[in-house]
Amino acid sequence: MTGSIEQTGLPADIPDLPAPGRAAAIPVSATRAGARLRKSRWPARLDLLQSVSGLFLALFLVAHMFFVSSILISKDAFHTVARFFEAAWLFGKPQPWVVSVVVGVVFTVFVLHAWLAMRKFPASFRQYRVFSEHKAQLRHSDTGLWWIQLWTGFALFFLGSVHLYGMLTQPELIGPYESADRIWTGTMWPLYLLLLFAVEIHGSLGLYRLALKWGAFEGRDPVHTRRRLRVAKTCFSVFFLGLGLVTLLAYVQLGIAHADQAGQRYAPSVVGNVAVRN
Amino acid sequence: MSTSPRILTLRVLRSSPVEGEAPHWEDFRVEEAEGMTLFLALTEVRERLAPSLQFDFVCRAGICGSCGMLIDGKPGLACCALTRDHGTTITLAPLPVFELIGDLSVNTGKWMRGTAERLETWIHSAAKPDLTAVEPRMEPELAEAIYELDRCIECGCCVAGCGTLRMREEFVGAIGLNKIARFRLDPRDERSDEDFYDLIGDDTGVFGCMSLLGCHDVCPKGLPLQTQIAFLRRKMVAVGLK
């Protein structure tokens, strides 16, 4: 590849080489064969960890949406799901701390992912402005999507933390009436509405970018695959936003209907779910 | 029935760091011709309207990579851009990141050389080169694969299209990663993945890529940058986990 240097037509002794206008990661004098220091393996591990934590959270998000949307089937269905996670099937009676443990794990991964992702944020006003102008000038779809991913991620620092902290400290208050009261009487619905949009958009973009980043599903025609991934991303967003909105509406309706008895715990109408049977 | 040719307005971001001329937009009107490229339009401007207009070209055929510039905000080669694919007003600006020479001319060669030196983009072999010996045979498929990545003309479009590099100028960019991918393929290069990790195994290298894929989408040569960067990431993570 010496040709690529020669074809620049530049003399070999340009004074400001090796990296014009840029800070090289390693001084060239240190990169000569035999003189190079072994580079840390941590950047590789952190990069992988960011992806793995993101994948874990996205998969949890999918499962979580199906769990909470069981309210659309019936109050008993959601009650059964909620009690299932209290592991009465294991301990003989409901143990809300089990939910706290699960939430604690998710919260830990959430914080870890946020910390890792922050490395990619613009680190100064100059970087922010440069990227913002670049995005506006280039009008490139994936560059624009990353900007959305950035801001939805930023919003999740706060929205997600509030939700997770509530579930962590009050695991026993997950149930048809309990959740509906929290959403309506506890005025959490605006936060959940914002959280829904932020998390679903961020999650779908994250999964899409994850596939591109690691070359998953590339196949013989990566360009075609990328188009299909974009369609899948949009379908993911639309489906889970739709499901989430309908589910949130169901909780709001239930909360309004139950506002007079807010605070009253739900008692299942059918004695047959796991928690009661045990 | 013939229609009258369009009158194009080329809105050029002009400046001259040497003469201290501040950046400003200047409009030039040219009559569009059949099959006109931006290179031809700019040549007409320079010949008829603004002899001092600076822009680079050599091959006029998308081979040399000299005429890279921002065309309506997107990096591209002026010699390959047909005016009919654009509106009647076309904005032209120099590629960012690179040292500005003047008007639309930037010093990509200086940047490319810095990157080549930094990433050591040449064959590394302990064997003493024998210039008279016949080169070892190579499978045609492998030669094709190397050639595919070697088609890079160093025009700088991927550099200008990369949001990560615009934010963090120490990032090696797709061009640097593509070159590493090319030498990793080459059996004559004796470097191991551990050696390549030492060159690109951090956030200024492959782990800094945020997969925005502006590079891939603006590359005038259609290089498989998306797949090569993903491939390198997998290989470098494998080194990192050892």
Side-chain angles (χ1 to χ4, degrees):
Chain A
M1 203 58 192
T2 47
S4 75
I5 297 173
E6 289 160 3
Q7 76 188 33
T8 64
L10 296 171
D13 56 348
I14 292 176
D16 55 351
L17 286 177
R22 333 171 48 230
I26 310 166
V28 165
S29 57
T31 64
R32 298 296 183 214
R36 190 187 296 122
L37 292 172
R38 186 176 184 268
K39 192 165 271 186
S40 168
R41 269 35 180 173
W42 274 106
R45 294 168 195 156
L46 295 180
D47 193 60
L48 182 64
L49 205 53
Q50 183 182 345
S51 294
V52 170
S53 59
L55 180 63
F56 170 84
L57 291 170
L59 294 176
F60 173 79
L61 178 67
V62 170
H64 175 276
M65 278 309 299
F66 284 121
F67 293 147
V68 296
S69 63
S70 61
I71 193 73
L72 298 173
I73 300 171
S74 70
K75 292 194 281 290
D76 282 346
F78 181 60
H79 177 82
T80 304
V81 170
R83 298 290 80 77
F84 171 81
F85 284 100
E86 291 177 345
W89 48 273
L90 182 65
F91 295 103
K93 62 179 184 178
Q95 303 288 339
W97 63 266
V98 177
V99 175
S100 290
V101 169
V102 173
V103 175
V105 169
V106 172
F107 209 169
T108 303
V109 177
F110 176 82
V111 171
L112 176 70
H113 183 70
W115 176 67
L116 291 167
M118 271 175 56
R119 299 173 307 143
K120 308 294 181 187
F121 278 39
S124 64
F125 177 70
R126 190 201 71 81
Q127 288 189 357
Y128 175 89
R129 193 183 63 186
V130 164
F131 191 92
S132 186
E133 288 173 358
H134 169 77
K135 177 184 71 69
Q137 183 183 57
L138 193 63
R139 301 186 307 282
H140 175 251
S141 56
D142 278 339
T143 301
L145 289 177
W146 183 80
W147 199 236
I148 295 171
Q149 201 177 356
L150 172 85
W151 282 110
T152 50
F154 182 73
L156 286 171
F157 285 172
F158 313 100
L159 301 172
S161 295
V162 171
H163 176 52
L164 284 164
Y165 186 76
M167 298 301 100
L168 184 74
T169 54
Q170 298 174 312
E172 70 283 359
L173 294 183
I174 301 174
Y177 289 159
E178 296 89 333
S179 299
D181 288 343
R182 182 171 57 252
I183 286 169
W184 182 251
T185 307
T187 329
M188 288 291 279
W189 66 267
L191 182 131
Y192 281 177
L193 188 62
L194 292 173
L195 176 61
L196 174 68
F197 276 91
V199 80
E200 295 302 344
I201 292 170
H202 188 85
S204 60
L205 287 176
L207 285 173
Y208 167 71
R209 202 169 303 283
L210 210 53
L212 296 177
K213 189 174 178 180
W214 294 97
F217 318 116
E218 265 175 8
R220 286 187 173 182
D221 186 353
V223 176
H224 181 63
T225 303
R226 187 170 160 204
R227 277 199 294 269
R228 294 181 70 172
L229 283 171
R230 292 198 72 142
V231 172
K233 171 191 71 63
T234 305
C235 291
F236 182 100
S237 284
V238 169
F239 175 76
F240 283 105
L241 274 176
L243 183 65
L245 284 171
V246 173
T247 302
L248 184 59
L249 185 64
Y251 282 111
V252 167
Q253 284 181 326
L254 187 58
I256 292 170
H258 194 252
D260 291 342
Q261 296 95 41
Q264 180 195 56
R265 306 289 294 272
Y266 180 76
S269 57
V270 179
V271 181
N273 63 58
V274 176
V276 173
R277 187 169 59 240
N278 288 293
Chain B
M1 188 178 113
S2 63
T3 56
S4 57
R6 295 194 303 170
I7 301 299
L8 302 175
T9 300
L10 300 188
R11 181 160 294 162
V12 180
L13 185 60
R14 301 201 64 184
S15 63
S16 175
V18 175
E19 295 171 11
E21 186 184 357
H24 62 280
W25 293 100
E26 190 169 343
D27 289 356
F28 301 102
R29 294 183 197 287
V30 293
E31 186 178 297
E32 188 176 36
E34 180 70 27
M36 188 181 229
T37 63
L38 272 174
F39 161 73
L40 292 173
L42 282 168
T43 303
E44 191 173 326
V45 169
R46 184 150 68 183
E47 286 177 353
R48 287 198 308 109
L49 304 170
S52 64
L53 181 66
Q54 297 180 75
F55 64 96
D56 297 321
F57 70 94
V58 178
C59 73
R60 297 164 290 173
I63 298 167
C64 72
S66 300
C67 62
M69 59 185 70
L70 292 182
I71 305 166
D72 285 338
K74 293 180 187 294
L77 299 180
C79 69
C80 297
L82 293 167
T83 55
R84 67 169 177 242
D85 295 334
H86 296 264
T88 51
T89 299
I90 305 171
T91 61
L92 301 173
L95 290 180
V97 180
F98 303 105
E99 180 185 285
L100 180 68
I101 295 171
D103 297 335
L104 302 173
S105 176
V106 293
N107 192 346
T108 52
K110 187 175 176 182
W111 193 96
M112 296 299 167
R113 174 159 183 162
T115 300
E117 291 269 5
R118 174 181 167 186
L119 297 180
E120 304 177 20
T121 52
W122 56 84
I123 299 274
H124 285 54
S125 173
K128 192 178 176 186
D130 182 354
L131 300 179
T132 60
V134 177
E135 276 196 298
R137 295 176 71 88
M138 187 185 290
E139 289 299 321
E141 294 79 12
L142 179 58
E144 280 290 324
I146 293 171
Y147 176 70
E148 171 71 1
L149 304 186
D150 234 358
R151 290 189 301 111
C152 175
I153 55 174
E154 301 187 349
C155 61
C157 287
C158 63
V159 171
C162 175
T164 308
L165 206 153
R166 294 295 307 278
M167 270 202 295
R168 304 181 177 96
E169 293 190 353
E170 69 278 12
F171 179 53
V172 297
I175 185 169
L177 297 174
N178 180 65
K179 283 182 184 296
I180 292 292
R182 177 252 177 271
F183 284 98
R184 190 185 174 281
L185 268 181
D186 199 320
R188 294 166 296 184
D189 196 316
E190 294 167 358
R191 285 179 289 182
S192 65
D193 277 349
E194 281 74 12
D195 294 323
F196 289 122
Y197 185 95
D198 287 338
L199 294 168
I200 58 165
D202 60 18
D203 285 346
T204 67
V206 71
F207 303 125
C209 174
M210 303 193 298
S211 306
L212 307 179
L213 299 182
C215 57
H216 181 97
D217 293 340
V218 301
C219 176
K221 305 304 285 184
L223 291 174
L225 300 174
Q226 174 194 332
T227 52
Q228 290 306 311
I229 295 173
F231 176 79
L232 275 183
R233 188 187 294 274
R234 295 197 297 270
K235 292 298 173 190
M236 293 302 104
V237 160
V239 173
L241 294 179
K242 279 181 186 172

